[in-house]
Structures are given as structure tokens and as C-alpha cells.
Amino acid sequence: MKFRLALLLILIVSVAPVAQSWAADGRFALVIGNAKYPDAEAPLKEPINDAKDIAEELKRNGFDVETGENLNGDAMRRALERLYARIKPGSVALIFFSGFGVQSARQSYLIPIDAQIWTEPDVRRDGVSLETILGEISGRGAGVKIALIDASRRNPFERRFRSFSAGLAPVIAPNGTLVMYSAALSSVVSDTGGAHSLFVSELLKEIRVPDLMAEETLNRTRVGVTRASRSEQVPWISSSLAEDFSFIPGARPQPPTQVAIATPPPRPDPPPAPPAVANIAPPPPPPPPPKIELPPAAATVPAVKDEATTAVASLADDPTIKSLTGKLIDNPDDASALYRRGQVYASKGAYQLAVNDFTESIRLNPKDVEAYNNRCWVRTVIGDLQAALKDCNEALRLRPNFVDALDSRGLVNLKNGQTKNAIADFDAALKINPRLTSSLYGRGLAKQRNGSISEGELDIANAKAMDPNIVKEFADYGVR
């Protein structure tokens, strides 16, 4: 039923002991590659190879490297504690993470493979905060702090939240810190399916260039990724370095190469116009940008009409929607952009616009089970219950025992007065995830309506103890 955060930070760390110390000048690195997440449909193909190659390159450059693969939460925290313990005043400390990352409360979290994430508080409980890592490294006296995070992936957790927040958040880092994400803030990219990610391929290429300072190395990496992806992927960099630092020891600062990119490179200019010839009409002006108008259906939903009207009125200026709409103007068949924009619309109360985007996403990929589930949920909120039930049934046909679709269909049946069916769906969802607050609260309401007052009260009380906002959430869906 929920829109789950997406999207994604990655550190690549090895638990195995380091056979040789390379830290003559106090360079320490933790490299983590997490690929085998049980919640994902298949292991990620890139993080392990990326972690190994990054680790080898850092070792050649004098770093004392610990590398970890497929680390659970305890293993990640122990590896970080070992890194903290090695740091001395003035050391260089580097973190590389490849895997899934999630942002919550404007912070980015690196996700261990055993994280049990069903609600937003679970992110903060099971994830590892990047800001906390950098703060701890700084507190141990490191002079240069570097974080290279390849975690901006569409992840299996993003649709478990009703509030939408894809990708990673800006990091508030201490002085002397250089941070790079593989993609722009609040955006996600898909794995290439190859042995290495585009981000790591470009990063390794630039790290090997002699006589480059670290900031220039990362700027050149950003240029390479942006160009290779045709501006579909633009890495994000934040720097507060107060001293020169190079990945290759002994490098001397050189005049900066005239390569810089803060935004995707502009499209090439058109060829020069031919000499003026009489009676040649000037080219027509470019079409105005598309307008986002309030869909009639959103304005007629009593439970959400005020919120939806206000939200939709501000959509034209929303930077995420602007970016996604721009992608769809260039490529109307970009299913990923349609799906993501649908999530944004739904999170902002523009429900009919969300339905439209999910419908187009399903047209492009008739087996997109997530789009079916999310369209089911949105249609339930706006009261289109018959169509919602068809969507949930199709999601469950494509993926039997899909907990999100069971939760969504339970809400459909609850709103439709089918209390026994609602109880059955919520029961099935809770067998899979006993901590799914929405199913617990929904089952409590359904039990009360079915005459089991005391049992319903117990479910409702337990759900409210887990999430005090659950009552308002259901009220927003038109269920009280």
C-alpha cells in the first residue's frame, strides 16, 4: 500500500584481516560491497566487483584497506569501529559503499543486507547514517574525510513508505570532507547489468591519472559519468577540503584542467544558419513548457480535496516533477520516470495524475507488479474501488503473497464493506510481516465492524502504539 523509499547509499567493506599495512602516511579505507539483499528479487551484479577493484586501487595508492562483502548490520558496525580505532590525528579516512541506500528525515543511510525495513523508523534503526560515520571519523582527528557512495539505486524498500523520498539526501559533513554520490540528490539509477557500475568505471579511470588533486579527480569522474549516460546520471559532489589531497601519493597540484560540470552538459548548438536569403521565414518559437493542471477527479474526492487542491497547485514548481517531466518530454516511453513521477504525484495528493502515470508505466511493462499495486492503492484512496480491486488482484497474480498488495487489497475490502475479506487479507499480510502497522490497524477496524469489538480494540491499540500517526493516515484515506 505504501510508497517505499527509494532509492540508495553504498559502502564496500571487507571483514577479512588485511595481510599488509599500506598506511605509512596514515591512509585508511573501508570498502563495502553489499549485493545479496533478501528483499530484492535478485542479487545486485555490480557491488562485489566494484568493491574489489576499488580496494585494489586504494591499496596500490598506499591505503590500509579493509574490504567487506554482503555485510549484515553487526558486521558493518564492527568494521566501522575497526576503522575508527585505526585513525590518528591528521589521518586520511575513506569510506566506499556500494549497495542500497535510503534517505530518511533528510539523512542518508547505508543499508546492511539483513535490514528489516517496513516503516520509516526501521531505516534509522537498521541503517547506518552517513553523517554519523563522518562525524565519528572527524571526532577521531582525521584530517581528510572522503565518502564515495554508490547507492542511488531503486531499492526494494521504497514502496514500503507512504511518504516518497527517492535517492540520497545532502550530507551535513564536518570540515575537511569530500563526499560523492553516484547520482544526483533524490534521484535513482538502474544497474547496468554488467560487471561494474558506470560510476565506478569512471572513478577508477580518473583515480589512475597522476598529478590530480582529489577534487579534480571526482570532478572529472562526474564529467565522464554525465557524458557516458547522456546526462541521465549526474553524480553529486560536496567538498569542504581545506588542504590539497591526491589519491596517488606524491602528486603535486597542477593548474586545473578546463573541465567543470555543475549541471548536465548543454545540448550541442545547432549548425550556423545559412546566409540570409529573401523570403525565408524565421523558425517558429519553441513550444511553451507543459502545464500541469488540476485533474477533475482529484478535486472531487471529499476526504482529500483541500490537500489535493493545494498540492496540485504547487506541482508546476516542484523540482523533482520538473526533472522527471523533462525526461519524459525527451523520451515519452521512459517507464522508470513515469513510475517515479507517479509516486511523487501520489505523495503530494495529486492522485489522478498518479493514476495516469502508473497506467502509462503498466502500458510499457504489463508485468510491473509495483505499478499495479501502487495504482491499486491510489484508486482506493480516491474511491475507485472496483478498478482498485482488479489492480490488486493482478499484482497478486503476478507475485503471489506480495505483502504490499495484500495490505492494499485489505484496504480496498475495508472501504468496500467486505470486512471478512479485509480481515483475511490483513491476516495474510501480518503473517508475512507481523510489524506492518497499516495491516494491524486495518484489521482492527475490520474486526470491530464485523462484531469482534474487543479483538479489534486490541489490534488498534497495538497499531497506535507502534505508529501514533496511523489514525490520521487512515482518516486521510477516508477510513475512520
Side-chain angles (χ1 to χ4, degrees), residues 48-324:
I48 303 301
N49 291 332
D50 287 344
K52 288 178 178 177
D53 285 357
I54 288 289
E56 289 303 313
E57 188 62 33
L58 293 175
K59 289 177 183 178
R60 282 192 287 270
N61 292 334
F63 279 84
D64 182 345
V65 181
E66 181 176 358
T67 308
E69 298 178 5
N70 294 320
L71 300 186
N72 61 27
D74 287 342
M76 277 185 66
R77 291 175 178 86
R78 287 196 300 269
L80 286 165
E81 288 297 333
R82 290 193 292 272
L83 173 66
Y84 302 152
R86 293 198 296 270
I87 294 172
K88 303 174 180 64
S91 296
V92 175
L94 183 148
I95 295 288
F96 174 85
F97 178 82
S98 180
F100 286 134
V102 174
Q103 67 163 289
S104 174
R106 300 183 181 179
Q107 286 196 44
S108 293
Y109 291 82
L110 313 180
I111 305 302
I113 63 167
D114 64 341
Q116 296 293 311
I117 296 176
W118 296 94
T119 65
E120 191 161 2
D122 295 340
V123 177
R124 298 187 287 274
R125 182 198 66 207
D126 288 355
V128 181
S129 164
L130 178 60
E131 287 189 9
T132 298
I133 293 171
L134 294 174
E136 187 68 29
I137 290 172
S138 181
R140 301 298 178 104
V144 174
K145 286 79 67 176
I146 299 175
L148 305 173
I149 308 301
D150 189 7
S152 301
R153 293 176 167 91
R154 179 174 169 179
N155 62 70
F157 313 112
E158 70 180 37
R159 287 161 299 281
R160 295 178 180 175
F161 301 94
R162 292 172 176 82
S163 58
F164 170 82
S165 188
L168 303 179
V171 62
I172 301 175
N175 290 334
T177 302
L178 183 59
V179 179
M180 186 173 195
Y181 295 163
S182 58
L185 298 175
S186 298
S187 67
V188 294
V189 295
S190 299
D191 277 10
T192 63
H196 296 284
S197 72
L198 173 60
F199 171 68
V200 168
S201 297
E202 293 294 328
L203 177 61
L204 288 170
K205 183 193 306 181
E206 300 303 336
I207 283 180
R208 293 164 182 160
V209 177
D211 293 329
L212 289 183
M213 295 300 100
E215 286 182 334
E216 186 175 4
T217 297
L218 299 193
N219 272 323
R220 289 166 62 108
T221 299
R222 178 168 57 179
V223 171
V225 172
T226 303
R227 288 177 174 168
S229 68
R230 298 183 179 181
S231 301
E232 289 294 315
Q233 180 177 350
V234 183
W236 178 82
I237 300 174
S238 173
S239 177
S240 62
L241 288 182
E243 57 184 276
D244 290 325
F245 172 76
S246 174
F247 289 101
I248 300 177
R252 293 184 296 275
Q254 300 291 324
T257 305
Q258 297 301 312
V259 177
I261 181 164
T263 57
R267 298 176 184 271
D269 293 331
V277 179
N279 299 324
I280 293 182
K291 294 177 65 178
I292 299 175
E293 298 180 356
L294 173 66
T300 60
V301 180
V304 294
K305 62 180 181 180
D306 293 335
E307 293 85 354
T309 302
T310 302
V312 175
S314 64
L315 290 180
D317 296 323
D318 184 278
T320 303
I321 291 177
K322 278 185 176 180
S323 172
L324 294 170

Side-chain angles (χ1 to χ4, degrees), residues 21-62:
S21 173
W22 296 76
D25 59 348
R27 295 178 166 215
F28 303 97
L30 177 59
V31 176
I32 301 174
N34 281 352
K36 293 183 178 179
Y37 290 87
D39 287 304
E41 292 185 353
L44 298 171
K45 294 182 178 180
E46 300 167 348
I48 303 301
N49 291 332
D50 287 344
K52 288 178 178 177
D53 285 357
I54 288 289
E56 289 303 313
E57 188 62 33
L58 293 175
K59 289 177 183 178
R60 282 192 287 270
N61 292 334

Side-chain angles (χ1 to χ4, degrees), residues 86 102 139 142 151 193 217 228 237 256 271 279 288 297 334 338 355 383 409 433 477:
R86 293 198 296 270
V102 174
T217 297
I237 300 174
N279 299 324
D334 187 339
L338 282 164
V355 168
R409 193 172 68 179
N433 175 21
Y477 303 155

